[in-house]
Amino acid sequence: MNIALIGSGGREHALCLNISKSKLCKNIICIPGNAGTAKIATNIAVDFLNFKKLLKVLRSNKIELVIVGPEEPLVKGIVDFLKKNKIRVFGPNKYAAKLEGSKAFMKNLCRKYKIPTAQFKICKNKRDVESFISKSKLPLVVKADGLAAGKGVTICKSKKSVTSISNEIFKGKFKSSKKLVLEEFLEGEELSYFLIIDRFGYKFFGSAQDHKRVGEKETGPNTGGMGAYSPATILNKKLERKIIKRIVEPTLSALKKEKNPYQGFLYVGLMIKDNEPYLIEYNIRMGDPECQVIVPRIKTDLLKILNEVASNNLNKIKIQWNNISCMTIVLCSKGYPGKYQKNKIIKNLQKIRFKKNIFVFHAGTKLLNNNFYSNGGRVLNITATGKVFKNLRKNIIKTIKKINWKFGFFRRDIGWRVIKNK
Ligand code: AMP
Ligand code: GLY
């Protein structure tokens, strides 16, 4: 099969590496890809949001299945467009993608179907904000309604900051929407729970915990994710049943009722308090860096799974897992998630011999004259598999030291919840 993979992060490198090894895979193109995918596939630098141009590339490369990594093309309707043009594609359509594309849509769905989530108000103006503040306790969470490249959520400890951040959103800080969701702050432990779904059913697709704050001990601003590990030890059978019954099933049946059944990966972002799940957010794709710690644990041929889901044959597949743990630490450009420099050579990466149980997924990198250069905030995902999280972290940090990239930084405390004694 000829495959096209949309995206350029560590998530896409992880998917690409796995798919490229499948017996079913003839050719794989990455649009646009990164330096990691350039070594195992063909990168094509076309703007994937320009659907017409993209279609030309897909047709000229005789693509038989498109796999979409990031949320933006999904929210903008890439699946509807490709299906209309008779191209097979894995991912949710534009309507279902509103689960991530509009926080207001997702929260209204929670209200209608009594899905447990933080108390909230959808606000269109200052009056709405004032009325919610007057009824609620601090801290409060302000969320831009539309896609905001990971920058749309702020946890506010004072009424003043709720007001000022809300005003910025009303003035159009984010192009995607001028609405916002104001909600109560949930205490607890976060869990990323994944499913793979087609028109007729769903299957578990791994669990993980990531670390969103830039600083050690969970301090500083939110990022796309500084590291992750899988499986998430907080998940147990009883909790899983609650997640499925109270959150996942009402959501999937609501979408079916609206004649837009879900297909693709679903990332259920949860807060767990006293073994009770609350929905924080839905993402309509794999997580990044969660994908990088889930994919190495799958035993079943991933391309076979994705291909069957694209034909609504998930029930034919049994997904099997390797009984191992996996951890990844993100090596970032200094300054991230604020301003950082690009185009910095990563010299030592070429010299390191990676082993079967420790390897690197590229994220913000590019290949120039056969050298690796940084090209983003999150640059490399150093990843290890094995039995004991503590040893995985030790090996990853050893490898990062060998890479010794002076323009980078990373968190040394990834997995602190599962590595209590240092
Ligand atoms: P979201 O884009 O909704 O996932 O929010 C990004 C991150 O902000 C989440 O992963 C949580 O760490 C945090 N967050 C969002 N909403 C809440 C909430 N209601 N209570 C506590 N933390 C939250
Ligand atoms: N790691 C968080 C996300 O992918 O949204």
Side-chain angles (χ1 to χ4, degrees), residues 88 90 196-203 263 304-319:
R88 292 178 73 235
F90 174 89
I196 188 163
I197 301 169
D198 74 1
R199 178 183 286 266
F200 304 112
Y202 58 84
K203 285 199 159 97
Q263 186 211 71
K304 190 171 165 192
I305 303 173
L306 302 181
N307 189 44
E308 292 296 356
V309 170
S311 304
N312 290 304
N313 284 329
L314 177 62
N315 62 350
K316 278 193 187 165
I317 296 271
K318 185 166 189 306
I319 303 178

Side-chain angles (χ1 to χ4, degrees), residues 210 212 224-225 267 281 283 285-290:
D210 83 340
K212 289 212 171 76
Y267 167 154
E281 63 167 344
N283 294 315
R285 51 174 172 81
M286 279 307 283
D288 185 337
E290 291 96 327

Side-chain angles (χ1 to χ4, degrees), residues 25-42:
C25 179
K26 194 161 110 200
N27 254 320
I28 176 159
I29 61 171
C30 293
I31 303 173
N34 59 31
T37 64
K39 295 270 181 187
I40 50 174
T42 307

Side-chain angles (χ1 to χ4, degrees), residues 6 40 51 83 129 156 258 264 271 274 310 316 320 360:
I6 308 281
I40 50 174
F51 293 167
K83 282 192 175 160
V129 172
C156 298
E258 301 290 336
M271 190 67 87
D274 305 325
K316 278 193 187 165
Q320 288 184 304
V360 165

Side-chain angles (χ1 to χ4, degrees), residues 3 38 42 163 171 300-301 316 418 420:
I3 309 295
T42 307
T163 316
K171 279 188 200 145
T300 312
D301 184 329
K316 278 193 187 165
V418 286
K420 290 269 156 59

Side-chain angles (χ1 to χ4, degrees), residues 149-166:
K151 297 192 169 72
V153 174
T154 316
I155 295 162
C156 298
K157 293 201 173 114
S158 72
K159 288 183 182 176
K160 213 170 131 193
S161 65
V162 176
T163 316
S164 75
I165 286 166
S166 302

Side-chain angles (χ1 to χ4, degrees), residues 103 141 143 153 183-186 190 212 222 280-281:
K103 302 251 185 223
V141 187
K143 298 185 171 186
V153 174
E183 65 180 42
E184 65 169 351
F185 180 80
L186 295 170
E190 276 186 67
K212 289 212 171 76
N222 261 342
I280 300 179
E281 63 167 344

